[in-house]
């Protein structure tokens, strides 16, 4: 991962260290309004976000360029999983949106279609994986198959129970194939969630985001908390660890996830691919053309 010296000064520690899920961490104890590792304030966020978005865009372009011209087959997958209103959409818009869409493969996973239900639950996931040189973004993911599916008993416990090991094996296969996984679990407090849902009912420009079912899910939080805990306990592995991002302050969660992406991309130790043509000769040819 990147040296601390590369970090913008308002980060006191590399975010991936602060945000890494550790065995024994409890979902019930997450401080959703905390800003771990960040010494700045809300007012510092816009300028820093803009600066880091530029760095992210540069790294993304480098990943893409290396796959196009240097045969680099690596890719990155950002998995966003979180409570309703945690701000997954905002990450897609304000963080990933800064990069060139050409190199991004975005997929949102809603309720499976009939076609998807007829297949293994990883079928639709495999189809959405980022090709070489791309950054994949999963807005929800295969983890729904051990979250909503578990909470609502959509399949028997022995079926969802077997999925944790299966997901670990699947993700190991991806990492062995050259993919870096950045798994982010996003949490808001129930109080903040209520505020965000109320806003969706008050503002005409937000009605479209409101889903009456969100209230039913909110009432099921104790069951979701259990399911999230099991997900973190059982699927945070060395090749594909989980990060926990507190999301009551949107400006913090955006900055933090930007840094997680930058750290992962910097760890690929990329440089711009060298020219595969004679630069001087081409300059001469162009001058004469
Ligand atoms: P969001 O809340 O992410 O903005 P949304 O309300 O617009 O999404 P969709 O994106 O259409 O709705 O679908 C999300 C819903 O699909 C969530 O309620 C989620 O739990 C459900 N879902 C996702 N994957 C599965 C799955 N494998 N099985 C059952 N339900 C799923």
């Amino acid at each position: 991962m990147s040296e601390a010296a590369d970090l913008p000064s308002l980060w006191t520690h590399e975010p991936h260290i602060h945000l890494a899920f550790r065995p024994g961490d409890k979902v019930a104890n997450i401080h959703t309004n905390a800003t771990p590792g960040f010494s700045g304030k809300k007012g510092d966020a816009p300028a820093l976000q803009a600066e880091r978005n530029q760095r992210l865009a540069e790294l993304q372009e480098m990943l893409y360029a290396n796959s196009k011209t240097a045969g680099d087959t690596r890719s990155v997958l950002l998995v966003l999983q979180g409570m309703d209103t945690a701000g997954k959409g905002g990450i897609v818009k304000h963080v990933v949106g800064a990069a060139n869409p050409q190199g991004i493969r975005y997929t949102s996973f809603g309720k499976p279609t009939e076609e998807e239900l007829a297949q293994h639950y990883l079928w639709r996931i495999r189809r959405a994986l980022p090709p070489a040189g791309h950054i994949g973004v999963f807005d929800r993911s295969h983890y729904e198959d051990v979250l909503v599916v578990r909470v609502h008993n959509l399949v028997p416990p022995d079926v969802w129970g077997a999925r944790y090991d299966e997901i670990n094996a699947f993700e190991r296969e991806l990492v062995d194939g050259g993919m870096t996984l950045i798994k982010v679990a996003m949490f808001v407090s129930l109080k903040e969630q209520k505020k965000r849902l109320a806003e969706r009912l008050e503002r005409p420009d937000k009605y479209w985001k409101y889903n009456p079912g969100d209230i039913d899910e909110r009432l099921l939080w104790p069951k979701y908390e259990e399911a999230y805990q099991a997900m973190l306990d059982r699927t945070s592995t060395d090749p594909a660890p989980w990060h926990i991002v507190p999301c009551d302050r949107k400006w913090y969660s955006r900055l933090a996830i930007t840094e997680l992406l930058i750290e992962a991309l910097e760890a690929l130790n990329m440089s711009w691919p060298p020219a595969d043509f004679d630069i001087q000769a081409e300059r001469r040819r162009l001058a004469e053309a």
Side-chain angles (χ1 to χ4, degrees), residues 38-139:
F38 192 71
S39 63
K41 298 196 167 48
K42 183 177 180 179
D44 300 314
L48 183 59
Q49 186 71 58
E51 180 195 323
R52 299 306 276 168
N53 278 358
Q54 270 189 26
R55 175 67 179 146
L56 177 59
E58 180 185 42
L59 287 162
Q60 182 247 331
E61 190 159 306
M62 217 178 256
L63 180 71
Y64 190 76
N66 276 291
S67 80
K68 283 284 165 207
T69 62
D72 192 337
T73 57
R74 293 178 297 178
S75 61
V76 170
L77 176 60
L78 174 67
V79 175
L80 298 173
Q81 199 58 66
M83 296 166 69
D84 286 328
T85 77
K88 298 187 298 295
I91 298 301
V92 173
K93 184 170 165 184
H94 298 283
V95 177
V96 182
N100 184 342
Q102 203 176 18
I104 300 290
R105 181 109 192 255
Y106 166 79
T107 313
S108 122
F109 292 99
K111 247 176 122 191
T113 60
E114 271 191 28
E115 185 193 23
E116 288 168 347
L117 275 177
Q119 306 284 339
H120 188 271
Y121 70 98
L122 291 176
W123 179 75
R124 65 175 183 165
I125 304 295
R126 286 187 188 277
R127 282 161 49 107
L129 292 171
H134 287 65
I135 298 181
V137 181
F138 281 3
D139 180 345

Side-chain angles (χ1 to χ4, degrees), residues 227-247:
Y228 271 106
Q229 187 69 53
M231 174 191 89
L232 294 167
D233 289 340
R234 300 206 43 198
T235 63
S236 197
T237 59
D238 282 345
W242 273 107
H243 301 90
I244 294 178
V245 175
C247 291

Side-chain angles (χ1 to χ4, degrees), residues 278-289:
D278 181 336
I279 300 170
Q280 298 305 337
E282 291 304 309
R283 282 185 186 151
R284 276 195 303 276
R285 283 184 62 224
L286 179 62
E288 287 158 15

Side-chain angles (χ1 to χ4, degrees), residues 51-271:
E51 180 195 323
R52 299 306 276 168
N53 278 358
Q54 270 189 26
R55 175 67 179 146
L56 177 59
E58 180 185 42
L59 287 162
Q60 182 247 331
E61 190 159 306
M62 217 178 256
L63 180 71
Y64 190 76
N66 276 291
S67 80
K68 283 284 165 207
T69 62
D72 192 337
T73 57
R74 293 178 297 178
S75 61
V76 170
L77 176 60
L78 174 67
V79 175
L80 298 173
Q81 199 58 66
M83 296 166 69
D84 286 328
T85 77
K88 298 187 298 295
I91 298 301
V92 173
K93 184 170 165 184
H94 298 283
V95 177
V96 182
N100 184 342
Q102 203 176 18
I104 300 290
R105 181 109 192 255
Y106 166 79
T107 313
S108 122
F109 292 99
K111 247 176 122 191
T113 60
E114 271 191 28
E115 185 193 23
E116 288 168 347
L117 275 177
Q119 306 284 339
H120 188 271
Y121 70 98
L122 291 176
W123 179 75
R124 65 175 183 165
I125 304 295
R126 286 187 188 277
R127 282 161 49 107
L129 292 171
H134 287 65
I135 298 181
V137 181
F138 281 3
D139 180 345
R140 303 181 185 272
S141 66
H142 42 299
Y143 286 102
E144 290 292 329
D145 292 282
V146 288
L147 291 168
V148 65
V149 166
R150 171 177 166 150
V151 168
H152 288 276
N153 301 311
L154 300 181
V155 297
D158 61 317
V159 175
W160 57 252
R163 290 180 176 171
Y164 299 99
D165 290 344
E166 195 173 23
I167 287 173
N168 289 342
F170 168 63
E171 292 183 348
R172 175 172 287 281
E173 181 197 318
L174 299 183
V175 172
D176 287 348
M179 193 179 292
T180 300
L181 264 70
I182 309 163
K183 300 194 298 191
V184 178
M186 301 171 66
F187 293 98
V188 282
S189 64
L190 287 175
K191 191 172 158 211
E192 179 64 22
Q193 187 186 63
K194 192 169 201 167
K195 202 173 117 200
R196 292 181 187 179
L197 287 173
E199 197 176 71
R200 290 179 184 181
L201 286 172
E202 274 152 26
R203 287 178 42 182
D205 63 325
K206 301 251 180 184
Y207 292 162
W208 69 275
K209 286 192 185 182
Y210 187 78
N211 173 0
D214 288 348
I215 295 187
D216 303 315
E217 297 308 293
R218 176 179 160 79
L219 294 170
L220 288 170
W221 174 242
K223 286 188 131 199
Y224 270 103
E225 187 179 302
E226 239 175 70
Y228 271 106
Q229 187 69 53
M231 174 191 89
L232 294 167
D233 289 340
R234 300 206 43 198
T235 63
S236 197
T237 59
D238 282 345
W242 273 107
H243 301 90
I244 294 178
V245 175
C247 291
D248 280 6
R249 300 170 200 245
K250 288 182 184 169
W251 59 266
Y252 171 81
S253 52
R254 290 172 189 168
L255 283 175
I257 295 172
T258 307
E259 287 309 318
L260 291 176
L261 272 164
I262 289 175
E263 282 170 348
L265 285 158
E266 285 183 341
L268 299 180
N269 286 319
M270 297 179 291
S271 49

